[in-house]
Amino acid sequence: MPDIVNLPANFIGKDDEQRLESFGGHLIAHGCATRWHWNREGGIDVAFDVFRGGSEERLFVSISRDRQHDKFIARNARGRLVADGPLDHVMAVVDKLARSSHRDEPA
């Protein structure tokens, strides 16, 4: 009898991990973020966190996966929903938000 593997409810596959890491690099390259980080702390969902702000760095957006509903979810630093749906859609919405909010920030 084969072993049964119980994946976490919010499991993000390797291909999607690589896509998110590339997306984080894209945001950094365009000056819309300062770094990204995989948040894998116990007791919370696995999330791809994007930060901005230099010396006063702050969370910009956190992207996680809801396997039960088969969608990705992006939330801002206050926990408000930014986008949900397929990963491509979520990344497009976050990219648009990052670019528009980056333009609005004082130099």
Side-chain angles (χ1 to χ4, degrees), residues 27 32 52 60 93-103:
L27 292 174
C32 299
R52 61 185 348 179
F60 171 63
V93 171
V94 170
D95 186 56
K96 185 175 180 179
L97 176 66
R99 289 171 184 264
S100 67
S101 64
H102 178 66
R103 284 192 297 270

Side-chain angles (χ1 to χ4, degrees), residues 40-57:
R40 300 179 197 263
E41 296 176 23
I44 61 172
D45 291 343
V46 173
F48 182 77
D49 295 338
V50 178
F51 297 86
R52 61 185 348 179
S55 64
E56 295 183 22
E57 187 177 69

Side-chain angles (χ1 to χ4, degrees), residues 46-83:
V46 173
F48 182 77
D49 295 338
V50 178
F51 297 86
R52 61 185 348 179
S55 64
E56 295 183 22
E57 187 177 69
R58 64 195 180 284
L59 178 66
F60 171 63
V61 71
S62 183
I63 301 173
S64 60
R65 179 166 182 235
D66 180 345
R67 266 189 24 180
Q68 185 176 16
H69 295 102
D70 193 26
K71 65 181 178 180
F72 283 84
I73 300 168
R75 296 188 182 279
N76 66 14
R78 294 184 178 153
R80 293 191 182 131
L81 184 67
V82 172

